[in-house]
Amino acid sequence: MLFAVASRDGKEINQHFGHVERFLIYQVEDDGVTFLEERPVEKYCRFDPEHPLRAHTLKDTADALKGCRAVVCSMIGEAPKMELERLGVEPYVVEGEIEPILRDLARVL
């Protein structure tokens, strides 16, 4: 199972979804957590009067996260959360050490 993680330091889930410029992709299998790669994305939180909800950015982000079961971040706004869910990406809001949190999520998904 693949997870996209929002992290500034690669140790903790500690970044707001809207501030991410790259997601860390982890695979969880048989209680093991393995870092696979970084996937760059356009930062969602930017002032853009032409596209205030930035749905085009969210679609590109969802495309970049193909194959991931969920996005795990420390915070996410309601509009991007609803749009990601509509696009088939499950957002989870949690903070803390990456590996134990991903193990726990994998057990319940």
Side-chain angles (χ1 to χ4, degrees):
M1 185 177 313
L2 298 182
F3 291 91
V5 174
S7 174
R8 285 191 230 47
D9 59 12
K11 297 175 186 171
E12 304 270 329
I13 299 163
N14 57 10
Q15 196 166 22
H16 186 293
F17 174 85
H19 300 168
V20 172
E21 292 180 337
R22 54 110 171 107
F23 282 98
L24 306 178
I25 308 301
Y26 287 86
Q27 180 172 344
V28 180
E29 190 172 54
D30 298 327
D31 222 29
V33 178
T34 306
F35 171 74
L36 298 179
E37 65 181 321
E38 290 186 13
R39 294 187 189 171
V41 295
E42 183 180 345
K43 187 162 73 168
Y44 177 76
C45 286
R46 299 161 65 144
F47 178 70
D48 185 351
E50 298 296 315
H51 302 95
L53 295 180
R54 299 187 51 79
H56 66 289
T57 300
L58 290 174
K59 184 186 178 317
D60 292 344
T61 298
D63 288 345
L65 301 178
K66 289 245 190 275
C68 292
R69 176 73 167 87
V71 171
V72 187
C73 55
S74 66
M75 191 178 294
I76 186 170
E78 196 58 35
K81 178 182 176 200
M82 289 186 329
E83 183 65 14
L84 285 174
E85 289 170 345
R86 189 184 73 72
L87 294 168
V89 179
E90 292 185 61
Y92 288 90
V93 175
V94 63
E95 289 186 353
E97 193 176 338
I98 292 170
E99 291 191 18
I101 289 172
L102 294 185
R103 274 191 212 97
D104 288 347
L105 275 175
R107 286 184 193 117
V108 298
L109 293 179

PDB file of all heavy atoms in Angstrom, residues 58 67 71 75 96 102:
ATOM      1  N   LEU A  58      -5.128  20.898  -7.804  1.00  0.00           N
ATOM      2  CA  LEU A  58      -5.470  19.662  -7.110  1.00  0.00           C
ATOM      3  C   LEU A  58      -5.559  18.488  -8.066  1.00  0.00           C
ATOM      4  O   LEU A  58      -5.159  17.375  -7.733  1.00  0.00           O
ATOM      5  CB  LEU A  58      -6.780  19.818  -6.352  1.00  0.00           C
ATOM      6  CG  LEU A  58      -6.701  20.739  -5.140  1.00  0.00           C
ATOM      7  CD1 LEU A  58      -8.083  20.946  -4.550  1.00  0.00           C
ATOM      8  CD2 LEU A  58      -5.764  20.169  -4.101  1.00  0.00           C
ATOM      9  N   GLY A  67      -1.789   5.877  -7.637  1.00  0.00           N
ATOM     10  CA  GLY A  67      -1.304   4.660  -7.004  1.00  0.00           C
ATOM     11  C   GLY A  67      -1.225   4.747  -5.493  1.00  0.00           C
ATOM     12  O   GLY A  67      -1.083   3.726  -4.825  1.00  0.00           O
ATOM     13  N   VAL A  71      -3.237  10.418   1.230  1.00  0.00           N
ATOM     14  CA  VAL A  71      -2.319  11.518   1.503  1.00  0.00           C
ATOM     15  C   VAL A  71      -2.380  11.771   3.006  1.00  0.00           C
ATOM     16  O   VAL A  71      -3.468  11.878   3.571  1.00  0.00           O
ATOM     17  CB  VAL A  71      -2.731  12.793   0.742  1.00  0.00           C
ATOM     18  CG1 VAL A  71      -1.918  13.985   1.203  1.00  0.00           C
ATOM     19  CG2 VAL A  71      -2.580  12.588  -0.745  1.00  0.00           C
ATOM     20  N   MET A  75      -2.343  19.156   8.197  1.00  0.00           N
ATOM     21  CA  MET A  75      -3.534  19.992   8.102  1.00  0.00           C
ATOM     22  C   MET A  75      -3.928  20.105   6.631  1.00  0.00           C
ATOM     23  O   MET A  75      -3.073  20.057   5.753  1.00  0.00           O
ATOM     24  CB  MET A  75      -3.242  21.382   8.674  1.00  0.00           C
ATOM     25  CG  MET A  75      -4.469  22.234   8.867  1.00  0.00           C
ATOM     26  SD  MET A  75      -4.084  23.848   9.611  1.00  0.00           S
ATOM     27  CE  MET A  75      -3.536  23.341  11.235  1.00  0.00           C
ATOM     28  N   GLY A  96       3.043  13.533  13.657  1.00  0.00           N
ATOM     29  CA  GLY A  96       3.886  12.623  14.416  1.00  0.00           C
ATOM     30  C   GLY A  96       4.862  11.894  13.528  1.00  0.00           C
ATOM     31  O   GLY A  96       5.015  12.200  12.344  1.00  0.00           O
ATOM     32  N   LEU A 102       2.074   5.430   9.624  1.00  0.00           N
ATOM     33  CA  LEU A 102       1.732   4.708   8.391  1.00  0.00           C
ATOM     34  C   LEU A 102       1.387   3.249   8.674  1.00  0.00           C
ATOM     35  O   LEU A 102       0.473   2.698   8.075  1.00  0.00           O
ATOM     36  CB  LEU A 102       2.872   4.813   7.375  1.00  0.00           C
ATOM     37  CG  LEU A 102       3.143   6.214   6.824  1.00  0.00           C
ATOM     38  CD1 LEU A 102       4.198   6.151   5.738  1.00  0.00           C
ATOM     39  CD2 LEU A 102       1.879   6.892   6.320  1.00  0.00           C
TER      40      LEU A 102
END
